[in-house]
Amino acid sequence: MKFLYRYLKPFLPYMSLGLLIKTVGTLMDLLIPYILEYTVDTLVPSENRDRILLFGGIMVLCSLLGIVGNIVANRMASAVSRDCTRAIRHDLFTRVSYLSARQIDDITIPTLETRITSDTYNIHHMIGMMQRLGVRAPILLIGGIVVTFSMEPVLCLVLVSTLPFLTIAVAAISKKGVPLFKSLQNRSDDMVRVVRENAQGIRVIKALSKSDYEKDKFDVKNRSVAAAEQKSGILMALTNPLMSAFLNIGMAAVILVGAFRINGGQAKPGMVIAFMSYFTIILNAMLSVTRMFTLYSKGAASAARISDILAVPYDLPVSSDTQVYSHGSVIEFRDVCFSYPGMKDTLKHISFRLEPGQTLGIIGATGSGKSTIVQLLLRFYDADSGQILIDGRDIRSYPPEELRTRFGTVLQNDFIFAGTVLENIVFGRDIPMESVTSAASDAQASSFISALPGDYSYSLTAKGTNLSGGQKQRVLITRALASHPEILLLDDSSSALDYKTDAKLRASLRQHFSEVTKVIVAQRVSSLSHADLILVLDRGEIVGSGTHDSLLSSCPIYREISTSQIGGDVL
């Protein structure tokens, strides 16, 4: 909960004003039964109508002040909780954006989604209700006890005798509540993961007729969440009946003792009426206190989960080496080894050098490590050993923004965002329209874009579901080319293109991007045959390296792929 103070600190003056207004409004509510007792026991027997009307008007005024004060204070509390939660959500989203790929793999995306949605909502609710009830309930509770003690100590002691039992019960329940709510949120993460997988893979599920299987899988997770929610709900629900039982026992004792004291002339009827009003106030205050403990349990569990993400250290630090040894986007891998978590030897001893303007082609079986080379080059992950250099400088010495702005990238399974075609191409960068249209022409996308209703203003759905596979790839290639990158990374970016369009794309890249260093990952030999250097990967190792012609004679794997696709050395 310590991290919350940092977000609440800017709002402390505003919160203090709101709490002051809340205090005044609460004191007005607390004053009404006291005035009622004075009116019934002192003014009514004197039959002084003017004073009765005067004090009746004072009670009405106190009621109005209490209502207005509580409304104003509640609105201020809502504003603080809204703005504070917005700041937390902003920082959480920002931190998630800068998590490394390895950290996201460890934490998982579903739990990040849950923490940025339901966990921040729990904190929002806690901050708001703590301001509303955190002052009012204690003042009503303590103030009610103090006033009743000044009015009738004996009856007050009868009532206060129940409070230790209430305190012990609430403390014990709250202590067990926080772990239960943490467990509930963790199970919610699992359910969100299943929902997310189903939403993304709905076509596969329908194609394989596995809807019932996925329903059963979701039902297991859903029941798990329901069981955890039921367990925590039952525990926290014990507070209200326990408090009502203890306080009603105390109330019955107060009525009994009060009747004897009135009969003995030691108390007056107005005092008992006021005492019953204060008892109701104290009862509601105690119920509010238990509600605060429930909200605190949820909020504390959520705050701990959010704090864990905000406290995740940056695991891709920037080193101090800033010396540039060469110019023109020289790329070099020196004996690079890498493994994903839970795997072994994803890449083994990868070494190559690519001069400025040259093209590197990477080919190999699925899972051989082709895309991993691209991800290491972008520094989504750090190599376990070896060095990766650009212009003779270790990529670990580049700030992430400086490193990645040098690239134009189309990743395997890249993403189309909801928005217009132009917004997906420009993507928040300062790119003139001439560059966009030129890049679309080079990417062979201008013909189909011009045929869309509104051309570049045409709205795309999330993941580009209203485009064909080849159209999506051409939009993504346009996005990569529009910024005139120094290095172009194309990871299986033309797999959905027909051979004719693919050939036109390669010809355009050779003509207009001859000075750009290119790294192309592909399954087609025809997409790589023009490359200056081709790497053939098998199980994370380079089993062949050279030009197309040299690999046909020296690498059996490459020759087998080429023969199966284009009939040997005939292009």
Side-chain angles (χ1 to χ4, degrees), residues 24-46:
V24 172
T26 304
L27 290 175
M28 293 299 103
D29 292 338
L30 198 61
L31 191 59
I32 292 174
Y34 188 83
I35 299 174
L36 176 63
E37 184 269 338
Y38 176 74
T39 303
V40 171
D41 287 342
T42 304
L43 298 182
V44 172
S46 69

Side-chain angles (χ1 to χ4, degrees), residues 291-339:
R291 188 180 178 191
M292 281 195 301
F293 276 108
T294 302
L295 293 172
Y296 175 82
S297 299
K298 286 185 177 181
S302 294
R305 284 162 52 86
I306 292 175
S307 180
D308 289 343
I309 301 300
L310 294 176
V312 171
Y314 290 91
D315 68 344
L316 298 175
V318 178
S319 63
S320 58
D321 181 16
T322 59
Q323 183 177 355
V324 178
Y325 301 95
S326 58
H327 299 278
S329 300
V330 176
I331 298 174
E332 186 174 3
F333 273 54
R334 293 180 180 174
D335 196 30
V336 172
C337 297
F338 173 78
S339 298

Side-chain angles (χ1 to χ4, degrees), residues 152-155 255-268 271-272:
E152 178 54 74
V154 175
L155 294 180
I255 293 174
L256 181 62
V257 174
F260 280 110
R261 290 181 68 79
I262 291 174
N263 190 49
Q266 297 169 306
K268 298 180 180 180
M271 181 180 295
V272 175

Side-chain angles (χ1 to χ4, degrees), residues 31 126 167 176 194 286 331 341 351 374 422 440 487 545:
L31 191 59
M126 179 186 71
T167 303
K176 291 185 177 181
V194 174
M286 286 300 296
I331 298 174
S351 297
V374 173
L422 182 61
I487 304 170
S545 174

Side-chain angles (χ1 to χ4, degrees), residues 148-193:
T148 52
F149 188 83
S150 66
M151 292 170 57
E152 178 54 74
V154 175
L155 294 180
C156 181
L157 289 174
V158 173
L159 179 61
V160 169
S161 63
T162 62
L163 295 184
F165 300 101
L166 293 172
T167 303
I168 293 171
V170 170
I173 291 172
S174 298
K175 185 177 180 180
K176 291 185 177 181
V178 173
L180 287 177
F181 282 118
K182 264 193 173 182
S183 174
L184 171 61
Q185 290 299 94
N186 290 336
R187 295 189 188 192
S188 296
D189 293 345
D190 291 338
M191 187 178 71
V192 170
R193 177 182 56 79

